[in-house]
Amino acid sequence: MPDITATARAFTEARRGGRLLAGYPGTPPGDMATAYRIQDAAIESWPDTIGGWKVGRIPPPLEAQYGSDRLAGPIFRSNIREVADGAQATLSAYAGGFAAIEAEFVAVIARDAPAGQERWSLEQAAEMIAELRIGLELASSPLASINELGPAVTAADFGNNAGLVVGPAIAGWRERPLESLACEAFVDGVSVGKGGAFNLTGGPVRSVQFILELTAARGRPLRAGQLIATGQTTGIHAIEPGQSARVEFGEDGAVALVTTPFQED
């Protein structure tokens, strides 16, 4: 069995020190429950508060094995950048580790989730969304092979999250078809992927339903104002410190990011 505390310590010390991990620190978790135990231990030792959550897709061929279609990780307040339309933020990535950007639709939670409610319908989840905003996630980890080792390993290290850029709210999103919520991602000015909310199985609302249930079961119910990055919509696009990224959402605006090397605390 994985050593929960030792693994969590290895990840958090590497992240705080800007150091790389040559391999997974210990025995990789074989299920999501163990992965979230590692994640919870890391959260408890991390010197920041949770400002939101990233939700990622578990590939359909692996859903039965892991008992879920999605995974999640915390987004800490110090790693959230709220920007005006078209503005550029700065976030740090692990040079030599894993680093990528993802185009995101970001749900803003309207109110505190009731304590103890662990089952949510899609309709109830939709009512918990105050706004849907455009965004860009920076996925980065000191473990370069994190995404190659499976969903449980990704979840164990904060869901492979290193920050979130959040732009303006999308007007009238509830009445719009998912096909109209489209975007295109660029790295250093070169298009690397096109897509939209229609690439999210069940759409952004399904991701919010998932995270409402997961956080409640873990004793971390969602709070008003928390931000939910609902999942990549154009692909996972590699980036290195010093490079820039931009995601254009058509008439809904754009957000941009420049990455810098992670510095030790």
Side-chain angles (χ1 to χ4, degrees):
M1 290 291 293
D3 185 326
I4 303 298
T5 302
T7 298
R9 184 186 304 114
F11 274 125
T12 55
E13 289 181 352
R15 280 180 172 265
R16 294 180 67 176
R19 297 185 298 274
L20 301 183
L21 292 169
Y24 186 87
T27 303
D31 57 77
M32 299 309 294
T34 303
Y36 291 130
R37 289 176 62 199
I38 296 169
Q39 188 186 107
D40 280 332
I43 289 170
E44 292 304 317
S45 68
W46 196 252
D48 200 353
T49 56
I50 295 174
W53 296 85
K54 66 83 55 82
V55 176
R57 187 74 164 90
I58 292 178
L62 299 179
E63 287 180 18
Q65 178 182 346
Y66 289 98
S68 179
D69 66 339
R70 282 162 163 81
L71 61 84
I75 305 173
F76 294 102
R77 291 193 182 280
S78 63
N79 289 334
I80 293 174
R81 306 285 186 269
E82 296 197 36
V83 299
D85 184 13
Q88 179 174 271
T90 300
L91 285 168
S92 296
Y94 294 92
F98 182 93
I101 59 101
E102 302 177 11
E104 299 274 349
F105 290 86
V106 181
V108 182
I109 298 304
R111 56 188 177 277
D112 290 356
Q117 182 174 344
E118 295 188 11
R119 292 291 178 266
W120 292 79
S121 68
L122 286 172
E123 292 75 16
Q124 290 172 320
E127 292 173 358
M128 288 290 288
I129 303 175
E131 294 179 325
L132 190 68
R133 300 170 68 176
I134 63 174
L136 184 167
E137 181 193 356
L138 175 63
S140 190
S141 168
L143 178 62
S145 60
I146 184 169
N147 277 9
E148 301 168 14
L149 299 177
V153 169
T154 300
D157 184 27
F158 291 157
N160 196 12
N161 177 263
L164 181 68
V165 182
V166 187
I170 299 171
W173 70 272
R174 294 181 191 274
E175 292 74 40
R176 290 169 57 177
L178 285 180
E179 289 72 21
S180 74
L181 300 175
C183 53
E184 183 173 6
F186 300 81
V187 173
D188 282 351
V190 177
S191 177
V192 291
K194 295 181 180 181
F198 47 86
N199 283 338
L200 296 171
T201 305
V205 174
R206 165 62 190 137
S207 293
V208 173
Q209 178 194 37
F210 165 80
I211 198 64
L212 280 162
E213 295 185 343
L214 178 68
T215 52
R218 292 167 61 189
R220 301 180 185 276
L222 296 186
R223 295 291 178 244
Q226 286 186 329
L227 303 172
I228 310 302
T230 58
Q232 64 86 4
T233 56
T234 66
I236 301 171
H237 311 297
I239 195 168
E240 296 181 3
Q243 290 188 300
S244 63
R246 180 178 175 87
V247 182
E248 297 181 355
F249 294 81
E251 64 182 16
D252 297 313
V255 290
L257 169 72
V258 62
T259 55
T260 60
F262 194 92
Q263 301 295 320
E264 184 174 355
D265 287 358

